[in-house]
Amino acid sequence: MKTRQRIRDRVFSDFLMGSRLDTYEAWLTTALRAEYQVSPVGVIWRMIEDGGLDPGQRHLALRHDVDTDPGTAAAMWQIERRLGIRSSYFFRLSTLDPPLMADIEAAGSEASYHYEEIATIAKRRGLRSREEALLHLPEARAEFAANIGRLRATTGLPMRVVASHGDFVNERLGLANCALLEDPEFRRSVGVELETYDPAFLEHLPSRHTDVPHPRYWDPADPLAAVHAGEPVISVLVHPRHWRTARMVNVRDDLQRLVEGLRYDRRPRTRGEA
């Protein structure tokens, strides 16, 4: 019964759900009326480094992980631009939109890289354990360095703040993509100042909220509750996919996820190669 309900919920989210962009605009408007300063995560981090967040100002760090749908990301950014809001957008290699990213940065927001090289190498090599993935960290780091260098050259954007993407393979390995930036020397060599999951950053964001698919919509709770409670610092992570249905985009993504899962399960394990 639970499996059937999960399937119904997934079908509704991917193909039947109406646009929730009006709801998105409404809660941002509520936050502004409650005198929250909405900022990109990079701006929040620089304030923290420069002595801490102003206790006399309410802060809301707004981040978008563009996993599948740059079209809805653009619509969300247009809403924010009308409201005078700045925020962060992180794009995967599969969702890159250089003109949109340039417009986001030109307007004072932040556009950067939503990276996943550990998962990419694991799928390519058929890695099955955390230990195997750690042995292949040099390969993942080399690929990350090449990718972010190419993206900077292509877009002209600094990309000093990055955010790791969570893939099904990361769950199976028990290893997040952000592990490749845990080496300070490597991080300096690729010019990354902040990974959005850095503990030193998250400790300043006690009220963290992320959107999730229908029917829950938010985890652990709707950030509006934190706004109404006057929490001094709120962090909100949103994914465009959860706010407007892009049927063909979702079909392609669902099929790709299915094919990748089948290939990963059937791929021979790589042994002794790093």
Side-chain angles (χ1 to χ4, degrees), residues 143-202:
E143 190 151 324
F144 175 89
N147 284 336
I148 199 167
R150 177 172 55 83
L151 292 176
R152 286 169 175 156
T154 300
T155 64
L157 302 180
M159 298 190 180
R160 302 296 184 190
V161 179
V162 297
S164 66
H165 174 65
D167 191 274
F168 75 93
V169 173
N170 296 107
E171 294 184 11
R172 297 196 192 183
L173 295 174
L175 184 68
N177 286 303
C178 56
L180 66 80
L181 286 173
E182 290 178 355
D183 181 342
E185 183 176 344
F186 174 71
R187 184 183 291 215
R188 284 192 295 271
S189 74
V190 292
V192 170
E193 298 173 1
L194 175 70
E195 210 298 330
T196 57
Y197 293 106
D198 284 347
F201 178 58
L202 295 180

Side-chain angles (χ1 to χ4, degrees), residues 215-236:
R216 291 180 59 204
Y217 295 118
W218 290 105
D219 181 41
D222 190 325
L224 274 181
V227 168
H228 292 316
E231 295 282 353
V233 184
I234 302 171
S235 172
V236 179

Side-chain angles (χ1 to χ4, degrees), residues 86-142:
R86 296 187 302 154
S87 67
S88 298
Y89 286 79
F90 295 94
F91 294 80
R92 299 170 69 191
L93 294 178
S94 59
T95 60
L96 288 178
D97 188 330
L100 173 60
M101 295 168 74
D103 288 345
I104 288 170
E105 284 269 347
S109 285
E110 182 174 57
S112 192
Y113 185 28
H114 196 34
Y115 67 96
E116 52 192 310
E117 278 77 8
I118 288 178
T120 300
I121 298 301
K123 286 184 282 190
R124 183 184 302 158
R125 299 293 190 188
L127 309 180
R128 295 291 193 274
S129 70
R130 177 186 177 89
E131 291 72 27
E132 287 180 317
L134 289 173
L135 286 174
H136 285 76
L137 268 183
E139 183 179 2
R141 285 177 173 146

